[in-house]
Amino acid sequence: MPAILGQSVFDGGLEFPAMVVHRDALEHNVSTMAGFVRDHGMELAPHAKTHMSAEIAAMQLAAGAWGLTVATPRQAEAVRAFGVDRILVANQVVDPAGLTWAAHELERDPGFEFLSFADSRTGIDILAAHAGSRPFRVLAELGHEGGRAGCRTLDELLEVASYAQSTPGVELAGVAGYEGGLRTGDEVRKYLAALQEAVEHVRVKNPILTVGGSQWFDVIGRELVATQARILLRSGAYVTHDDGYYRERTPFNRIDGELRPALEVWAHVLSVPEPGLAIVGMGKRDAPYDEGLPIPRRGGVTIVKMQDQHTVVRAAGLKPGDLLAFGISHPCTAFDKWRVLPLVDRDYRVVGTISTNF
């Protein structure tokens, strides 16, 4: 335990810097997204790469999640150990060790579902070479120009889909895409239309269409409402939201509802070497910085730069030993910096822990 259950994190039992998780915000976000997908005829396969936490995964599944999404076979193994029966690897899986594990797990448990993406004949051949008695179920991935993966045209996707259907050891389950790298709603709508067309051309019984990030799920909910497929939304960052990147980009800036920031980092002022300049004992090892620096919760504090173990701030009136709170930007690179985080109530009393497995 990072602090004693029932005690305040400020009672002396918790070492700083520390990242805390606010229970009320976490529960609110899980409930909000569960309600959103339900109201829009979709299902949620939340991306567990954000948190890799058994406790948070249990909350998401209890709220009705279809299963969990991961990015790698290593993550799939970890969430399988959480007791998850449905896992979607939102990626091309080519790792022999990971595929061997997945094949063995499929053979061991007839109730286990494992899906991954494919955008090439070569990728399908790799899957087939490692398949066991149960085939690997794949989703033909449609990308877009400049995107990270996926077939670039419908004809390419249909060729990959046809090849998957004719390859022993592989079973085509539907179509996959990722719209998170697109910049405008018009671009997203055009891309979603292409995904819908792909689903219509892929001859699969009860096809799956999976999309998703945390920036455009409102557009997805509107555009895919009439699609004849099971829609799996893979949003992940929503679960703790943030005070920076996703605060600016959440669809709830455009539609009714809200997500609440659930993560907060507390750290001591270590030194005030010059007037108005302070060194805080929080660095890149403690808080994310890839999509924006942390956000000071105290007025008049400005971050100058972050280093490995320190953050340089400008502020008046600080002294060594002062505790400062910071919101974070981009939760997907926050959890991996911690193995156990205190779960706190509104009064910062510890009511549980959140563990991670990266």
Side-chain angles (χ1 to χ4, degrees), residues 95-133:
D95 175 57
L99 289 172
T100 298
W101 167 82
H104 288 166
E105 197 66 11
L106 286 166
E107 290 182 344
R108 186 187 68 81
D109 183 357
F112 177 50
E113 294 185 45
F114 179 88
L115 296 94
S116 63
F117 293 0
D119 67 0
S120 68
R121 282 174 170 255
T122 301
I124 291 170
D125 286 340
I126 292 171
L127 292 173
H130 293 86
S133 59

PDB file of all heavy atoms in Angstrom, residues 95-133:
ATOM      1  N   ASP A  95       4.528 -11.273 -33.946  1.00  0.00           N
ATOM      2  CA  ASP A  95       5.490 -11.803 -32.977  1.00  0.00           C
ATOM      3  C   ASP A  95       5.252 -13.290 -32.752  1.00  0.00           C
ATOM      4  O   ASP A  95       4.180 -13.692 -32.285  1.00  0.00           O
ATOM      5  CB  ASP A  95       5.345 -11.046 -31.652  1.00  0.00           C
ATOM      6  CG  ASP A  95       6.224 -11.620 -30.571  1.00  0.00           C
ATOM      7  OD1 ASP A  95       7.443 -11.686 -30.783  1.00  0.00           O
ATOM      8  OD2 ASP A  95       5.693 -12.038 -29.522  1.00  0.00           O
ATOM      9  N   PRO A  96       6.227 -14.165 -33.066  1.00  0.00           N
ATOM     10  CA  PRO A  96       6.018 -15.609 -32.927  1.00  0.00           C
ATOM     11  C   PRO A  96       5.674 -16.045 -31.502  1.00  0.00           C
ATOM     12  O   PRO A  96       4.783 -16.874 -31.306  1.00  0.00           O
ATOM     13  CB  PRO A  96       7.356 -16.203 -33.375  1.00  0.00           C
ATOM     14  CG  PRO A  96       7.931 -15.181 -34.297  1.00  0.00           C
ATOM     15  CD  PRO A  96       7.522 -13.861 -33.706  1.00  0.00           C
ATOM     16  N   ALA A  97       6.365 -15.479 -30.513  1.00  0.00           N
ATOM     17  CA  ALA A  97       6.098 -15.884 -29.129  1.00  0.00           C
ATOM     18  C   ALA A  97       4.686 -15.492 -28.718  1.00  0.00           C
ATOM     19  O   ALA A  97       3.975 -16.270 -28.064  1.00  0.00           O
ATOM     20  CB  ALA A  97       7.125 -15.246 -28.191  1.00  0.00           C
ATOM     21  N   GLY A  98       4.262 -14.294 -29.106  1.00  0.00           N
ATOM     22  CA  GLY A  98       2.921 -13.855 -28.762  1.00  0.00           C
ATOM     23  C   GLY A  98       1.852 -14.684 -29.443  1.00  0.00           C
ATOM     24  O   GLY A  98       0.825 -15.034 -28.831  1.00  0.00           O
ATOM     25  N   LEU A  99       2.058 -15.027 -30.697  1.00  0.00           N
ATOM     26  CA  LEU A  99       1.090 -15.848 -31.421  1.00  0.00           C
ATOM     27  C   LEU A  99       1.044 -17.266 -30.876  1.00  0.00           C
ATOM     28  O   LEU A  99      -0.029 -17.886 -30.823  1.00  0.00           O
ATOM     29  CB  LEU A  99       1.420 -15.852 -32.913  1.00  0.00           C
ATOM     30  CG  LEU A  99       1.145 -14.528 -33.635  1.00  0.00           C
ATOM     31  CD1 LEU A  99       1.689 -14.572 -35.053  1.00  0.00           C
ATOM     32  CD2 LEU A  99      -0.350 -14.217 -33.641  1.00  0.00           C
ATOM     33  N   THR A 100       2.190 -17.790 -30.464  1.00  0.00           N
ATOM     34  CA  THR A 100       2.210 -19.123 -29.851  1.00  0.00           C
ATOM     35  C   THR A 100       1.403 -19.131 -28.564  1.00  0.00           C
ATOM     36  O   THR A 100       0.617 -20.048 -28.300  1.00  0.00           O
ATOM     37  CB  THR A 100       3.659 -19.556 -29.579  1.00  0.00           C
ATOM     38  OG1 THR A 100       4.365 -19.641 -30.821  1.00  0.00           O
ATOM     39  CG2 THR A 100       3.698 -20.918 -28.887  1.00  0.00           C
ATOM     40  N   TRP A 101       1.582 -18.080 -27.751  1.00  0.00           N
ATOM     41  CA  TRP A 101       0.775 -17.976 -26.524  1.00  0.00           C
ATOM     42  C   TRP A 101      -0.705 -17.917 -26.853  1.00  0.00           C
ATOM     43  O   TRP A 101      -1.523 -18.615 -26.235  1.00  0.00           O
ATOM     44  CB  TRP A 101       1.167 -16.727 -25.732  1.00  0.00           C
ATOM     45  CG  TRP A 101       0.171 -16.426 -24.654  1.00  0.00           C
ATOM     46  CD1 TRP A 101       0.097 -16.990 -23.409  1.00  0.00           C
ATOM     47  CD2 TRP A 101      -0.962 -15.540 -24.759  1.00  0.00           C
ATOM     48  NE1 TRP A 101      -0.989 -16.509 -22.719  1.00  0.00           N
ATOM     49  CE2 TRP A 101      -1.663 -15.617 -23.521  1.00  0.00           C
ATOM     50  CE3 TRP A 101      -1.438 -14.698 -25.754  1.00  0.00           C
ATOM     51  CZ2 TRP A 101      -2.812 -14.873 -23.273  1.00  0.00           C
ATOM     52  CZ3 TRP A 101      -2.586 -13.950 -25.503  1.00  0.00           C
ATOM     53  CH2 TRP A 101      -3.258 -14.045 -24.281  1.00  0.00           C
ATOM     54  N   ALA A 102      -1.077 -17.079 -27.809  1.00  0.00           N
ATOM     55  CA  ALA A 102      -2.490 -16.917 -28.157  1.00  0.00           C
ATOM     56  C   ALA A 102      -3.086 -18.221 -28.671  1.00  0.00           C
ATOM     57  O   ALA A 102      -4.214 -18.591 -28.310  1.00  0.00           O
ATOM     58  CB  ALA A 102      -2.653 -15.814 -29.195  1.00  0.00           C
ATOM     59  N   ALA A 103      -2.344 -18.941 -29.514  1.00  0.00           N
ATOM     60  CA  ALA A 103      -2.840 -20.215 -30.030  1.00  0.00           C
ATOM     61  C   ALA A 103      -3.062 -21.219 -28.905  1.00  0.00           C
ATOM     62  O   ALA A 103      -4.083 -21.931 -28.872  1.00  0.00           O
ATOM     63  CB  ALA A 103      -1.859 -20.778 -31.062  1.00  0.00           C
ATOM     64  N   HIS A 104      -2.137 -21.282 -27.976  1.00  0.00           N
ATOM     65  CA  HIS A 104      -2.279 -22.198 -26.840  1.00  0.00           C
ATOM     66  C   HIS A 104      -3.468 -21.806 -25.967  1.00  0.00           C
ATOM     67  O   HIS A 104      -4.204 -22.676 -25.473  1.00  0.00           O
ATOM     68  CB  HIS A 104      -0.996 -22.213 -26.008  1.00  0.00           C
ATOM     69  CG  HIS A 104       0.136 -22.917 -26.678  1.00  0.00           C
ATOM     70  ND1 HIS A 104       1.454 -22.813 -26.247  1.00  0.00           N
ATOM     71  CD2 HIS A 104       0.175 -23.742 -27.755  1.00  0.00           C
ATOM     72  CE1 HIS A 104       2.233 -23.531 -27.023  1.00  0.00           C
ATOM     73  NE2 HIS A 104       1.490 -24.098 -27.949  1.00  0.00           N
ATOM     74  N   GLU A 105      -3.659 -20.497 -25.760  1.00  0.00           N
ATOM     75  CA  GLU A 105      -4.760 -20.030 -24.923  1.00  0.00           C
ATOM     76  C   GLU A 105      -6.104 -20.316 -25.580  1.00  0.00           C
ATOM     77  O   GLU A 105      -7.082 -20.684 -24.907  1.00  0.00           O
ATOM     78  CB  GLU A 105      -4.600 -18.537 -24.635  1.00  0.00           C
ATOM     79  CG  GLU A 105      -5.411 -18.018 -23.474  1.00  0.00           C
ATOM     80  CD  GLU A 105      -4.985 -18.574 -22.131  1.00  0.00           C
ATOM     81  OE1 GLU A 105      -3.917 -19.218 -22.043  1.00  0.00           O
ATOM     82  OE2 GLU A 105      -5.736 -18.385 -21.154  1.00  0.00           O
ATOM     83  N   LEU A 106      -6.182 -20.174 -26.894  1.00  0.00           N
ATOM     84  CA  LEU A 106      -7.410 -20.501 -27.625  1.00  0.00           C
ATOM     85  C   LEU A 106      -7.730 -21.990 -27.527  1.00  0.00           C
ATOM     86  O   LEU A 106      -8.898 -22.378 -27.401  1.00  0.00           O
ATOM     87  CB  LEU A 106      -7.275 -20.082 -29.090  1.00  0.00           C
ATOM     88  CG  LEU A 106      -7.348 -18.585 -29.378  1.00  0.00           C
ATOM     89  CD1 LEU A 106      -6.861 -18.283 -30.791  1.00  0.00           C
ATOM     90  CD2 LEU A 106      -8.764 -18.058 -29.179  1.00  0.00           C
ATOM     91  N   GLU A 107      -6.714 -22.827 -27.576  1.00  0.00           N
ATOM     92  CA  GLU A 107      -6.925 -24.268 -27.448  1.00  0.00           C
ATOM     93  C   GLU A 107      -7.324 -24.647 -26.024  1.00  0.00           C
ATOM     94  O   GLU A 107      -8.167 -25.521 -25.808  1.00  0.00           O
ATOM     95  CB  GLU A 107      -5.663 -25.020 -27.858  1.00  0.00           C
ATOM     96  CG  GLU A 107      -5.366 -24.963 -29.344  1.00  0.00           C
ATOM     97  CD  GLU A 107      -4.132 -25.769 -29.718  1.00  0.00           C
ATOM     98  OE1 GLU A 107      -3.343 -26.111 -28.810  1.00  0.00           O
ATOM     99  OE2 GLU A 107      -3.953 -26.041 -30.913  1.00  0.00           O
ATOM    100  N   ARG A 108      -6.720 -23.971 -25.063  1.00  0.00           N
ATOM    101  CA  ARG A 108      -6.971 -24.306 -23.655  1.00  0.00           C
ATOM    102  C   ARG A 108      -8.367 -23.939 -23.219  1.00  0.00           C
ATOM    103  O   ARG A 108      -8.986 -24.651 -22.422  1.00  0.00           O
ATOM    104  CB  ARG A 108      -5.946 -23.576 -22.776  1.00  0.00           C
ATOM    105  CG  ARG A 108      -6.005 -23.950 -21.295  1.00  0.00           C
ATOM    106  CD  ARG A 108      -5.092 -23.072 -20.466  1.00  0.00           C
ATOM    107  NE  ARG A 108      -5.543 -21.687 -20.413  1.00  0.00           N
ATOM    108  CZ  ARG A 108      -6.499 -21.252 -19.596  1.00  0.00           C
ATOM    109  NH1 ARG A 108      -7.136 -22.087 -18.777  1.00  0.00           N
ATOM    110  NH2 ARG A 108      -6.838 -19.971 -19.595  1.00  0.00           N
ATOM    111  N   ASP A 109      -8.896 -22.826 -23.733  1.00  0.00           N
ATOM    112  CA  ASP A 109     -10.185 -22.307 -23.275  1.00  0.00           C
ATOM    113  C   ASP A 109     -11.096 -22.044 -24.470  1.00  0.00           C
ATOM    114  O   ASP A 109     -10.941 -21.043 -25.164  1.00  0.00           O
ATOM    115  CB  ASP A 109      -9.974 -21.012 -22.495  1.00  0.00           C
ATOM    116  CG  ASP A 109     -11.268 -20.455 -21.918  1.00  0.00           C
ATOM    117  OD1 ASP A 109     -12.333 -21.039 -22.169  1.00  0.00           O
ATOM    118  OD2 ASP A 109     -11.209 -19.427 -21.215  1.00  0.00           O
ATOM    119  N   PRO A 110     -12.075 -22.904 -24.709  1.00  0.00           N
ATOM    120  CA  PRO A 110     -12.988 -22.717 -25.845  1.00  0.00           C
ATOM    121  C   PRO A 110     -13.796 -21.428 -25.767  1.00  0.00           C
ATOM    122  O   PRO A 110     -14.313 -20.947 -26.776  1.00  0.00           O
ATOM    123  CB  PRO A 110     -13.907 -23.946 -25.763  1.00  0.00           C
ATOM    124  CG  PRO A 110     -13.146 -24.944 -24.975  1.00  0.00           C
ATOM    125  CD  PRO A 110     -12.336 -24.163 -23.994  1.00  0.00           C
ATOM    126  N   GLY A 111     -13.925 -20.842 -24.584  1.00  0.00           N
ATOM    127  CA  GLY A 111     -14.692 -19.618 -24.427  1.00  0.00           C
ATOM    128  C   GLY A 111     -13.895 -18.352 -24.642  1.00  0.00           C
ATOM    129  O   GLY A 111     -14.456 -17.247 -24.604  1.00  0.00           O
ATOM    130  N   PHE A 112     -12.607 -18.476 -24.883  1.00  0.00           N
ATOM    131  CA  PHE A 112     -11.738 -17.310 -25.049  1.00  0.00           C
ATOM    132  C   PHE A 112     -11.836 -16.786 -26.478  1.00  0.00           C
ATOM    133  O   PHE A 112     -11.791 -17.547 -27.442  1.00  0.00           O
ATOM    134  CB  PHE A 112     -10.297 -17.697 -24.736  1.00  0.00           C
ATOM    135  CG  PHE A 112      -9.282 -16.601 -24.942  1.00  0.00           C
ATOM    136  CD1 PHE A 112      -9.473 -15.339 -24.404  1.00  0.00           C
ATOM    137  CD2 PHE A 112      -8.121 -16.837 -25.676  1.00  0.00           C
ATOM    138  CE1 PHE A 112      -8.540 -14.335 -24.583  1.00  0.00           C
ATOM    139  CE2 PHE A 112      -7.175 -15.845 -25.856  1.00  0.00           C
ATOM    140  CZ  PHE A 112      -7.387 -14.592 -25.313  1.00  0.00           C
ATOM    141  N   GLU A 113     -11.983 -15.450 -26.614  1.00  0.00           N
ATOM    142  CA  GLU A 113     -12.010 -14.804 -27.928  1.00  0.00           C
ATOM    143  C   GLU A 113     -10.789 -13.911 -28.075  1.00  0.00           C
ATOM    144  O   GLU A 113     -10.471 -13.129 -27.181  1.00  0.00           O
ATOM    145  CB  GLU A 113     -13.280 -13.974 -28.098  1.00  0.00           C
ATOM    146  CG  GLU A 113     -14.562 -14.789 -28.126  1.00  0.00           C
ATOM    147  CD  GLU A 113     -15.778 -13.931 -28.427  1.00  0.00           C
ATOM    148  OE1 GLU A 113     -15.689 -13.096 -29.363  1.00  0.00           O
ATOM    149  OE2 GLU A 113     -16.791 -14.081 -27.725  1.00  0.00           O
ATOM    150  N   PHE A 114     -10.128 -14.049 -29.227  1.00  0.00           N
ATOM    151  CA  PHE A 114      -8.907 -13.291 -29.507  1.00  0.00           C
ATOM    152  C   PHE A 114      -8.972 -12.810 -30.942  1.00  0.00           C
ATOM    153  O   PHE A 114      -9.094 -13.610 -31.874  1.00  0.00           O
ATOM    154  CB  PHE A 114      -7.685 -14.194 -29.304  1.00  0.00           C
ATOM    155  CG  PHE A 114      -6.352 -13.534 -29.587  1.00  0.00           C
ATOM    156  CD1 PHE A 114      -5.679 -12.848 -28.587  1.00  0.00           C
ATOM    157  CD2 PHE A 114      -5.764 -13.628 -30.843  1.00  0.00           C
ATOM    158  CE1 PHE A 114      -4.451 -12.247 -28.838  1.00  0.00           C
ATOM    159  CE2 PHE A 114      -4.535 -13.037 -31.108  1.00  0.00           C
ATOM    160  CZ  PHE A 114      -3.876 -12.350 -30.102  1.00  0.00           C
ATOM    161  N   LEU A 115      -8.930 -11.487 -31.149  1.00  0.00           N
ATOM    162  CA  LEU A 115      -8.973 -10.914 -32.480  1.00  0.00           C
ATOM    163  C   LEU A 115      -7.789  -9.981 -32.686  1.00  0.00           C
ATOM    164  O   LEU A 115      -7.286  -9.382 -31.719  1.00  0.00           O
ATOM    165  CB  LEU A 115     -10.266 -10.126 -32.705  1.00  0.00           C
ATOM    166  CG  LEU A 115     -11.585 -10.886 -32.680  1.00  0.00           C
ATOM    167  CD1 LEU A 115     -12.197 -10.853 -31.291  1.00  0.00           C
ATOM    168  CD2 LEU A 115     -12.559 -10.292 -33.702  1.00  0.00           C
ATOM    169  N   SER A 116      -7.359  -9.858 -33.937  1.00  0.00           N
ATOM    170  CA  SER A 116      -6.292  -8.921 -34.262  1.00  0.00           C
ATOM    171  C   SER A 116      -6.523  -8.373 -35.661  1.00  0.00           C
ATOM    172  O   SER A 116      -7.463  -8.766 -36.353  1.00  0.00           O
ATOM    173  CB  SER A 116      -4.918  -9.604 -34.172  1.00  0.00           C
ATOM    174  OG  SER A 116      -4.808 -10.649 -35.122  1.00  0.00           O
ATOM    175  N   PHE A 117      -5.667  -7.454 -36.090  1.00  0.00           N
ATOM    176  CA  PHE A 117      -5.796  -6.802 -37.388  1.00  0.00           C
ATOM    177  C   PHE A 117      -4.894  -7.472 -38.424  1.00  0.00           C
ATOM    178  O   PHE A 117      -3.889  -8.116 -38.077  1.00  0.00           O
ATOM    179  CB  PHE A 117      -5.392  -5.328 -37.304  1.00  0.00           C
ATOM    180  CG  PHE A 117      -6.299  -4.467 -36.477  1.00  0.00           C
ATOM    181  CD1 PHE A 117      -7.422  -4.975 -35.834  1.00  0.00           C
ATOM    182  CD2 PHE A 117      -6.017  -3.113 -36.316  1.00  0.00           C
ATOM    183  CE1 PHE A 117      -8.254  -4.169 -35.079  1.00  0.00           C
ATOM    184  CE2 PHE A 117      -6.839  -2.297 -35.561  1.00  0.00           C
ATOM    185  CZ  PHE A 117      -7.952  -2.822 -34.938  1.00  0.00           C
ATOM    186  N   ALA A 118      -5.219  -7.267 -39.692  1.00  0.00           N
ATOM    187  CA  ALA A 118      -4.355  -7.686 -40.794  1.00  0.00           C
ATOM    188  C   ALA A 118      -4.539  -6.728 -41.957  1.00  0.00           C
ATOM    189  O   ALA A 118      -5.666  -6.333 -42.267  1.00  0.00           O
ATOM    190  CB  ALA A 118      -4.671  -9.115 -41.230  1.00  0.00           C
ATOM    191  N   ASP A 119      -3.436  -6.361 -42.601  1.00  0.00           N
ATOM    192  CA  ASP A 119      -3.526  -5.489 -43.772  1.00  0.00           C
ATOM    193  C   ASP A 119      -2.657  -5.990 -44.924  1.00  0.00           C
ATOM    194  O   ASP A 119      -2.388  -5.246 -45.866  1.00  0.00           O
ATOM    195  CB  ASP A 119      -3.187  -4.042 -43.423  1.00  0.00           C
ATOM    196  CG  ASP A 119      -1.727  -3.836 -43.022  1.00  0.00           C
ATOM    197  OD1 ASP A 119      -0.953  -4.820 -43.006  1.00  0.00           O
ATOM    198  OD2 ASP A 119      -1.355  -2.678 -42.727  1.00  0.00           O
ATOM    199  N   SER A 120      -2.221  -7.266 -44.855  1.00  0.00           N
ATOM    200  CA  SER A 120      -1.379  -7.796 -45.923  1.00  0.00           C
ATOM    201  C   SER A 120      -1.472  -9.317 -45.967  1.00  0.00           C
ATOM    202  O   SER A 120      -1.808  -9.967 -44.973  1.00  0.00           O
ATOM    203  CB  SER A 120       0.083  -7.391 -45.711  1.00  0.00           C
ATOM    204  OG  SER A 120       0.612  -8.045 -44.565  1.00  0.00           O
ATOM    205  N   ARG A 121      -1.153  -9.876 -47.130  1.00  0.00           N
ATOM    206  CA  ARG A 121      -1.062 -11.324 -47.256  1.00  0.00           C
ATOM    207  C   ARG A 121       0.026 -11.870 -46.339  1.00  0.00           C
ATOM    208  O   ARG A 121      -0.147 -12.924 -45.719  1.00  0.00           O
ATOM    209  CB  ARG A 121      -0.729 -11.703 -48.714  1.00  0.00           C
ATOM    210  CG  ARG A 121      -1.901 -11.637 -49.686  1.00  0.00           C
ATOM    211  CD  ARG A 121      -1.411 -11.880 -51.103  1.00  0.00           C
ATOM    212  NE  ARG A 121      -2.518 -12.063 -52.033  1.00  0.00           N
ATOM    213  CZ  ARG A 121      -2.894 -13.239 -52.536  1.00  0.00           C
ATOM    214  NH1 ARG A 121      -2.248 -14.335 -52.193  1.00  0.00           N
ATOM    215  NH2 ARG A 121      -3.909 -13.304 -53.383  1.00  0.00           N
ATOM    216  N   THR A 122       1.131 -11.166 -46.265  1.00  0.00           N
ATOM    217  CA  THR A 122       2.236 -11.633 -45.423  1.00  0.00           C
ATOM    218  C   THR A 122       1.806 -11.743 -43.972  1.00  0.00           C
ATOM    219  O   THR A 122       2.125 -12.717 -43.279  1.00  0.00           O
ATOM    220  CB  THR A 122       3.435 -10.677 -45.551  1.00  0.00           C
ATOM    221  OG1 THR A 122       3.853 -10.623 -46.913  1.00  0.00           O
ATOM    222  CG2 THR A 122       4.599 -11.159 -44.691  1.00  0.00           C
ATOM    223  N   GLY A 123       1.071 -10.735 -43.490  1.00  0.00           N
ATOM    224  CA  GLY A 123       0.591 -10.786 -42.117  1.00  0.00           C
ATOM    225  C   GLY A 123      -0.332 -11.964 -41.876  1.00  0.00           C
ATOM    226  O   GLY A 123      -0.268 -12.614 -40.822  1.00  0.00           O
ATOM    227  N   ILE A 124      -1.184 -12.249 -42.839  1.00  0.00           N
ATOM    228  CA  ILE A 124      -2.095 -13.390 -42.704  1.00  0.00           C
ATOM    229  C   ILE A 124      -1.313 -14.695 -42.716  1.00  0.00           C
ATOM    230  O   ILE A 124      -1.606 -15.629 -41.954  1.00  0.00           O
ATOM    231  CB  ILE A 124      -3.146 -13.349 -43.825  1.00  0.00           C
ATOM    232  CG1 ILE A 124      -4.093 -12.172 -43.596  1.00  0.00           C
ATOM    233  CG2 ILE A 124      -3.940 -14.661 -43.882  1.00  0.00           C
ATOM    234  CD1 ILE A 124      -5.013 -11.880 -44.748  1.00  0.00           C
ATOM    235  N   ASP A 125      -0.286 -14.775 -43.559  1.00  0.00           N
ATOM    236  CA  ASP A 125       0.542 -15.983 -43.598  1.00  0.00           C
ATOM    237  C   ASP A 125       1.222 -16.229 -42.253  1.00  0.00           C
ATOM    238  O   ASP A 125       1.358 -17.380 -41.807  1.00  0.00           O
ATOM    239  CB  ASP A 125       1.599 -15.864 -44.691  1.00  0.00           C
ATOM    240  CG  ASP A 125       1.022 -16.015 -46.097  1.00  0.00           C
ATOM    241  OD1 ASP A 125      -0.088 -16.569 -46.223  1.00  0.00           O
ATOM    242  OD2 ASP A 125       1.688 -15.574 -47.059  1.00  0.00           O
ATOM    243  N   ILE A 126       1.662 -15.158 -41.605  1.00  0.00           N
ATOM    244  CA  ILE A 126       2.304 -15.300 -40.289  1.00  0.00           C
ATOM    245  C   ILE A 126       1.300 -15.837 -39.275  1.00  0.00           C
ATOM    246  O   ILE A 126       1.619 -16.730 -38.473  1.00  0.00           O
ATOM    247  CB  ILE A 126       2.899 -13.961 -39.832  1.00  0.00           C
ATOM    248  CG1 ILE A 126       4.076 -13.574 -40.729  1.00  0.00           C
ATOM    249  CG2 ILE A 126       3.348 -14.026 -38.366  1.00  0.00           C
ATOM    250  CD1 ILE A 126       4.603 -12.170 -40.497  1.00  0.00           C
ATOM    251  N   LEU A 127       0.083 -15.299 -39.298  1.00  0.00           N
ATOM    252  CA  LEU A 127      -0.950 -15.811 -38.400  1.00  0.00           C
ATOM    253  C   LEU A 127      -1.209 -17.294 -38.662  1.00  0.00           C
ATOM    254  O   LEU A 127      -1.266 -18.110 -37.726  1.00  0.00           O
ATOM    255  CB  LEU A 127      -2.243 -15.011 -38.581  1.00  0.00           C
ATOM    256  CG  LEU A 127      -2.243 -13.555 -38.133  1.00  0.00           C
ATOM    257  CD1 LEU A 127      -3.542 -12.873 -38.549  1.00  0.00           C
ATOM    258  CD2 LEU A 127      -2.054 -13.439 -36.626  1.00  0.00           C
ATOM    259  N   ALA A 128      -1.376 -17.649 -39.918  1.00  0.00           N
ATOM    260  CA  ALA A 128      -1.687 -19.037 -40.273  1.00  0.00           C
ATOM    261  C   ALA A 128      -0.590 -19.991 -39.836  1.00  0.00           C
ATOM    262  O   ALA A 128      -0.866 -21.125 -39.394  1.00  0.00           O
ATOM    263  CB  ALA A 128      -1.914 -19.140 -41.779  1.00  0.00           C
ATOM    264  N   ALA A 129       0.652 -19.547 -39.931  1.00  0.00           N
ATOM    265  CA  ALA A 129       1.773 -20.419 -39.579  1.00  0.00           C
ATOM    266  C   ALA A 129       1.814 -20.742 -38.097  1.00  0.00           C
ATOM    267  O   ALA A 129       2.439 -21.741 -37.694  1.00  0.00           O
ATOM    268  CB  ALA A 129       3.084 -19.755 -40.005  1.00  0.00           C
ATOM    269  N   HIS A 130       1.163 -19.947 -37.271  1.00  0.00           N
ATOM    270  CA  HIS A 130       1.189 -20.156 -35.817  1.00  0.00           C
ATOM    271  C   HIS A 130      -0.164 -20.597 -35.256  1.00  0.00           C
ATOM    272  O   HIS A 130      -0.311 -20.744 -34.041  1.00  0.00           O
ATOM    273  CB  HIS A 130       1.642 -18.882 -35.108  1.00  0.00           C
ATOM    274  CG  HIS A 130       3.060 -18.513 -35.379  1.00  0.00           C
ATOM    275  ND1 HIS A 130       3.440 -17.776 -36.478  1.00  0.00           N
ATOM    276  CD2 HIS A 130       4.208 -18.810 -34.716  1.00  0.00           C
ATOM    277  CE1 HIS A 130       4.755 -17.603 -36.466  1.00  0.00           C
ATOM    278  NE2 HIS A 130       5.241 -18.221 -35.410  1.00  0.00           N
ATOM    279  N   ALA A 131      -1.139 -20.794 -36.120  1.00  0.00           N
ATOM    280  CA  ALA A 131      -2.483 -21.166 -35.655  1.00  0.00           C
ATOM    281  C   ALA A 131      -2.500 -22.586 -35.126  1.00  0.00           C
ATOM    282  O   ALA A 131      -1.767 -23.468 -35.602  1.00  0.00           O
ATOM    283  CB  ALA A 131      -3.490 -21.008 -36.790  1.00  0.00           C
ATOM    284  N   GLY A 132      -3.353 -22.804 -34.132  1.00  0.00           N
ATOM    285  CA  GLY A 132      -3.556 -24.135 -33.588  1.00  0.00           C
ATOM    286  C   GLY A 132      -4.858 -24.722 -34.100  1.00  0.00           C
ATOM    287  O   GLY A 132      -5.246 -24.516 -35.254  1.00  0.00           O
ATOM    288  N   SER A 133      -5.555 -25.419 -33.222  1.00  0.00           N
ATOM    289  CA  SER A 133      -6.798 -26.065 -33.636  1.00  0.00           C
ATOM    290  C   SER A 133      -7.927 -25.074 -33.876  1.00  0.00           C
ATOM    291  O   SER A 133      -8.870 -25.364 -34.615  1.00  0.00           O
ATOM    292  CB  SER A 133      -7.233 -27.078 -32.573  1.00  0.00           C
ATOM    293  OG  SER A 133      -7.437 -26.442 -31.317  1.00  0.00           O
TER     294      SER A 133
END
